Amino acid sequence: MYPTRRSVLGGGLALLGAPRLAMSQDEASLARIARLSGLFYGAAVTSSQLMAGDFTTALKHEAEYIVPEWEMKWGALERERDRRQYGTAQKFVDFANANRMSVRGHTLVWHRNIPAWAITALKNKEYGLMQRHVRSTVSNFGSIQDWDVVNEAIEPTHGRSDNLRTSPFLDALGPGYIGEAFRAARFAAPGARLVYNDYGFEYELETHRTRRRALIRLLERLKATSVPVDAVGLQAHLVTRDIKFDPVAYTSFLGKIADLGLKIIITELDIQDTNLPADIPERDGILADHIARYLDAALSEPAVIGVMTWGLSDRYTWLNSDPSAKRPDGLPSRPLPLDVDMKRKPMWDAIANAMRNAPERSA
Ligand code: G3I
């Protein structure tokens, strides 16, 4: 079983600044291995998972950051107008504080999980509503210094010349809503890292190439208008279907983001196995190889500062409840570094090795 994070990190903290010293298998954790390269590692969790004993023991050992899967979204914080409820989301901050971890705030402005009353109010041109939500949320969680401010604002299939997704925010406020969201967050938390988060950039698909171009153009516009964006979150929900990943094309894309002076976080790493054989050793080996190839490329870009997996254990993954990700044979997916019994899988080794071998980041 896992030693407690305190027993390991307490003794090993001195190592963090040390050269990449070996550590025992028990001492090793994704968070400590990440730190030895100047990276951070964390995982998405839900509030109910924070009460599962064996899971939280593994989480405290493996992760330095946690991010709420849904409890910090507008729809969860303010189901009823002016009755903002922070109690559930506060559990993440309390858990992190008690275990010397940090919380990533996710996500302030997203076209999903908007309370129904807010959609109506935005249609009625209550323009300040979004900024009020951003300021209230960021101010309430003052200890959170890393926010996904705007999530998934790109959607080229919506046919706009700026490739933005139509949404209640865009309809009410125009394309400037993105900048307004970041400015509201900066006002509420001047020292926080403000992140633009999105998906669909990894593969040699025309849709992904279009999305890569759209993201760079969006970022160029934001930087040209002094929008206070500090980093880009690349969700990296990977697949094993027969589509090409080109490390050269991907690292060139990452380099364009870095050239804008932005840091990069891999924010929601996991991998679908819907098309893979049922055999677990074979499936786990293929998944680990895909993750290794992706992370070796991603972490070769020094602007990449952290890796978050969208979950830690196969016991809890959104992919088992998403119809598009269900395996034809009905078997549960295996998208994460730990299995359902909190045992490390080949994917754990793939992530650990990619972070261990990454070029060392300056602090
Ligand atoms: O709302 C109920 C809540 O009342 C109830 O107490 C709770 C009990 O578990 O369930 C809640 O239901 C749903 C929740 O998942 C259960 O975990 C929420 O309605 C539902 O919105 C939520 O789905 C989340 C989804 O985003 C939408 O918010 C998923 O957990 C989460 O994995 C998924 O994450 C997104 C990222 O935010 C953005 N990138 C894509 C990623 C996957 O879709």
Side-chain angles (χ1 to χ4, degrees):
M1 280 307 284
Y2 279 104
T4 62
R5 175 186 176 79
R6 194 176 299 279
S7 66
V8 172
L9 267 189
L13 277 177
L15 290 182
L16 291 186
R20 303 190 196 188
L21 297 179
M23 55 183 94
S24 73
Q25 192 57 11
D26 265 357
E27 284 177 332
S29 72
L30 291 175
R32 293 190 71 215
I33 290 167
R35 270 292 159 218
L36 295 178
S37 294
L39 294 160
F40 65 80
Y41 169 76
V45 294
T46 68
S47 51
S48 57
Q49 293 160 14
L50 290 180
M51 293 179 281
D54 60 341
F55 174 78
T56 51
T57 300
L59 181 71
K60 287 185 280 192
H61 181 74
E62 295 288 0
E64 175 185 342
Y65 272 83
I66 55 175
V67 58
E69 268 203 59
W70 60 273
E71 293 90 341
M72 224 166 253
K73 294 165 180 172
W74 198 354
L77 295 178
E78 194 176 8
R79 246 182 258 271
E80 292 174 58
R81 183 166 192 156
D82 297 332
R83 294 190 60 189
R84 295 175 71 83
Q85 297 178 322
Y86 293 122
T88 301
Q90 184 61 33
K91 291 175 184 172
F92 296 84
V93 174
D94 296 343
F95 181 89
N97 290 343
N99 295 288
R100 284 188 285 182
M101 301 167 91
S102 301
V103 178
R104 293 204 69 245
H106 175 85
T107 181
L108 297 167
V109 174
W110 189 28
H111 63 283
R112 290 179 56 189
N113 291 150
I114 306 173
W117 64 264
I119 292 176
T120 307
L122 284 164
K123 278 184 185 150
N124 294 336
K125 307 211 179 307
E126 291 195 45
Y127 294 124
L129 212 53
M130 177 196 75
Q131 294 90 321
R132 181 187 67 95
H133 166 62
V134 171
R135 283 198 302 272
S136 303
T137 306
V138 173
S139 303
N140 182 76
F141 297 109
S143 64
I144 296 180
Q145 289 301 301
D146 188 308
W147 282 97
D148 287 340
V149 176
V150 173
N151 191 43
E152 303 178 5
I154 290 170
E155 185 39 83
T157 63
H158 286 184
R160 289 176 53 95
S161 60
D162 57 12
N163 285 306
L164 290 184
R165 178 190 302 274
T166 54
S167 72
F169 299 112
L170 184 79
D171 296 345
L173 299 167
Y177 85 90
I178 298 172
E180 287 313 307
F182 278 92
R183 290 189 182 95
R186 180 69 92 220
F187 177 83
R193 181 191 293 133
L194 303 184
V195 183
Y196 173 79
N197 192 50
D198 215 327
Y199 67 91
F201 306 112
E202 296 79 23
Y203 295 107
E204 290 315 296
L205 295 167
E206 200 41 51
T207 51
H208 282 211
R209 291 191 193 99
T210 302
R211 290 179 67 86
R212 293 199 288 260
R213 285 194 297 271
L215 175 60
I216 297 302
R217 287 202 191 110
L218 170 61
L219 297 174
E220 287 170 344
R221 289 199 300 272
L222 295 180
K223 296 299 282 184
T225 51
S226 305
V227 169
V229 52
D230 304 308
V232 174
L234 302 176
Q235 293 181 13
H237 290 294
L238 305 183
V239 296
T240 53
R241 290 193 303 275
D242 186 20
I243 45 178
K244 186 169 182 283
F245 172 70
D246 176 355
V248 173
Y250 193 67
T251 50
S252 167
F253 162 65
L254 299 183
K256 291 187 175 86
I257 297 173
D259 288 347
L260 290 167
L262 298 168
K263 296 297 185 187
I264 302 167
I265 303 169
I266 308 303
T267 47
E268 304 183 15
L269 181 64
D270 56 18
I271 182 166
Q272 289 187 29
D273 63 6
T274 43
N275 63 308
L276 295 186
D279 177 74
I280 286 180
E282 183 180 1
R283 199 177 349 156
D284 282 356
I286 295 168
L287 292 168
D289 290 346
H290 276 258
I291 290 278
R293 286 192 69 234
Y294 172 76
L295 280 182
D296 285 346
L299 297 180
S300 71
E301 167 51 62
V304 177
I305 56 173
V307 178
M308 304 286 291
T309 48
W310 203 246
L312 177 63
S313 158
D314 295 341
R315 184 189 299 173
Y316 306 116
T317 171
W318 68 288
L319 291 172
N320 280 340
S321 52
D322 185 284
S324 70
K326 283 205 178 301
R327 288 177 53 89
D329 59 14
L331 290 175
S333 298
R334 297 177 64 84
L336 293 166
L338 304 185
D339 71 11
V340 294
D341 297 319
M342 307 306 138
K343 297 281 183 297
R344 292 170 177 175
K345 296 156 58 185
M347 191 184 300
W348 186 98
D349 297 291
I351 296 171
N353 291 335
M355 296 193 297
R356 186 180 289 117
N357 300 330
E360 198 156 351
R361 272 78 175 148
S362 51

